[in-house]
Amino acid sequence: MKSWIINRTCDLSSEIAPLVLVDQPEPEPQTGQVLLKVNTCGVCHTEIDEIEGRTPPLVYPVIPGHQVIGTLVRHLGKRSDLQIGDRVGVAWIYAACGSCEFCLSGQENLCRQFRATGRDVNGGYAEYMIADENYVYKIPGIFTDTEAAPLLCAGAIGYRSLSLCNMMNGKTLGLTGFGASAHLVLKLVQHLYPKTEVYVFARSRTEREFALQLGCKWTGDHNERPPLRVDCIIDTTPVWTTVIEALACLKPGGRLVINAIRKEESDKDSLLRLSYPMHLWMEKEIKSVANVTRNDVQEFIRLAAEMSFKPEVEEYSFESANQALVDIKNRRIKGAKVLIVS
Ligand SMILES: [Zn+2]
Ligand SMILES: [Zn+2]
């Protein structure tokens, strides 16, 4: 089968072909697993963190991709609700141990044995992939294969980030960066908390215009101040400057939720601008978002279907995987990028 692999660490600001296309045998599922023929796979900023070594694969080579929509072609498990021919999705959570304190308390995202699809185990940038039968999700018919892929990461992690905001209808929310995940959070907020005003901070004018089209209250650059201080901000950028700027825009008692698997080192010195009275005093909090649980994925898919909203997607041919990654690196982003695999 044709598959894209990560076989080394490299810097995407100078490298335009980080992934290598190879032909390799179709994988063989074991007991408890299913084999999927991949239809589409979303492209995520996390692939860049893997390639650039901030969250590297356990072993090389690995097939990236953790927003996978596929057709079930073999079933070696016990789940009776799964049939050959079903359309299912696989997300970032490939598996967790199921027995530790975190798994038993609904926080399998924090499990020490958490395995990530497309980093610790082969993912969906390939014609076929294997998944654990207990970690696949049925996809409602209202979504096309392309529309469904971004629900699995951008949507699910956006849902988790919003859950960590303790949001209530009427509280104000800021979004720093307006890529795949943030645009889904905006739509989710409009559905769940119709009185909540959303303020979007983004460096790129395209992202700001896109946010206004989708109905946010205000947009500005990272260093601009909105007309009021907000209750909560979700930061989806890979940099540090935004953390400082966001903290300055929070109300007393406000919370900053950082939805980024890793931050880049390039502007870390901006943290030296941290002023305790301006950025942290008055019980301001910072919280990171780690991974997703199956419940996050399922809940987001359910809500997306209920709202019948379609994510804004940009399609790339399977052969253009490297181009899609370079475009994300250069923040040529409008919505979510998806590879058409077959
Ligand atoms: Zn992702
Ligand atoms: Zn566990």
Side-chain angles (χ1 to χ4, degrees):
M1 65 170 185
K2 280 190 295 181
S3 40
W4 286 104
I5 54 164
I6 302 176
N7 62 4
R8 73 206 153 103
T9 305
C10 66
D11 180 354
L12 265 165
S13 46
S14 53
E15 177 68 66
I16 57 163
L19 303 181
V20 181
L21 188 60
V22 297
D23 202 356
Q24 57 188 50
E26 213 175 278
E28 269 294 317
Q30 310 292 313
T31 306
Q33 294 182 323
V34 293
L35 178 68
L36 309 181
K37 184 171 195 308
V38 179
N39 306 342
T40 57
C41 186
V43 180
C44 182
H45 192 278
T46 300
E47 272 91 90
I48 295 172
D49 293 314
E50 293 178 24
I51 292 164
E52 294 189 326
R54 285 177 295 278
T55 179
L58 291 175
V59 287
Y60 293 106
V62 72
I63 301 170
H66 56 266
Q67 310 180 75
V68 191
I69 301 294
T71 307
L72 202 145
V73 291
R74 287 181 69 190
H75 184 5
L76 274 66
K78 293 189 186 131
R79 255 179 80 174
S80 56
D81 64 324
L82 290 178
Q83 311 293 333
I84 301 298
D86 279 355
R87 186 171 68 144
V88 295
V90 187
W92 176 247
I93 179 165
Y94 189 86
C97 83
S99 54
C100 71
E101 58 171 315
F102 298 112
C103 284
L104 294 176
S105 62
Q107 294 175 291
E108 58 188 2
N109 59 311
L110 305 181
C111 175
R112 284 186 63 175
Q113 291 177 51
F114 183 96
R115 284 190 296 155
T117 310
R119 184 192 63 187
D120 309 328
V121 189
N122 282 334
Y125 282 38
E127 289 177 293
Y128 291 88
M129 89 165 265
I130 282 175
D132 183 310
E133 64 165 341
N134 294 315
Y135 294 80
V136 299
Y137 316 89
K138 292 215 184 179
I139 304 297
I142 64 161
F143 301 111
T144 64
D145 291 338
T146 311
E147 289 160 349
L151 307 179
L152 294 159
C153 177
I157 191 88
Y159 173 81
R160 184 165 191 87
S161 310
L162 192 59
S163 313
L164 296 178
C165 288
N166 298 327
M167 190 47 63
M168 281 160 45
N169 198 12
K171 277 193 173 186
T172 44
L173 177 70
L175 298 173
T176 297
F178 200 70
S181 185
H183 102 279
L184 292 171
V185 168
L186 176 58
K187 295 202 171 196
L188 192 58
V189 168
Q190 289 167 338
H191 178 67
L192 295 175
Y193 311 109
K195 290 186 183 155
T196 287
E197 291 174 345
V198 179
Y199 298 78
V200 171
F201 305 84
R203 205 173 42 187
S204 126
R205 182 190 290 191
T206 322
E207 287 178 38
R208 291 199 297 266
E209 284 170 0
F210 182 40
L212 286 170
Q213 276 169 27
L214 294 183
C216 80
K217 175 81 179 169
W218 173 94
T219 62
D221 205 338
H222 293 321
N223 54 4
E224 289 182 58
R225 294 282 179 269
L228 47 76
R229 292 195 184 197
V230 297
D231 291 291
C232 194
I233 296 182
I234 299 172
D235 170 28
T236 52
T237 69
V239 293
W240 288 103
T241 315
T242 51
V243 171
I244 299 291
E245 302 295 350
L247 287 169
C249 295
L250 286 179
K251 266 185 197 169
R255 180 180 279 188
L256 171 63
V257 174
I258 302 180
N259 170 7
I261 187 165
R262 293 292 183 272
K263 287 284 194 182
E264 294 173 4
E265 297 291 310
S266 55
D267 69 335
K268 205 167 184 180
D269 55 359
S270 60
L271 290 178
L272 294 172
R273 288 195 287 118
L274 185 79
S275 147
Y276 185 74
M278 188 191 298
H279 299 116
L280 287 172
W281 173 240
M282 294 301 275
E283 303 191 348
K284 293 184 186 180
E285 292 176 283
I286 304 180
K287 195 168 178 73
S288 65
V289 187
N291 307 320
V292 287
T293 64
R294 280 172 282 181
N295 186 58
D296 295 325
V297 182
Q298 269 154 354
E299 267 304 289
F300 187 75
I301 292 173
R302 186 186 67 75
L303 282 165
E306 181 183 297
M307 292 148 60
S308 64
F309 83 60
K310 307 295 174 69
E312 189 78 27
V313 287
E314 200 180 341
E315 297 184 347
Y316 286 75
S317 68
F318 183 64
E319 288 68 29
S320 310
N322 278 322
Q323 186 60 50
L325 291 169
V326 168
D327 286 349
I328 291 187
K329 175 74 183 179
N330 295 318
R331 295 203 73 75
R332 285 193 287 267
I333 297 172
K334 189 179 175 192
K337 299 187 190 304
V338 177
L339 297 182
I340 310 299
V341 181
S342 59

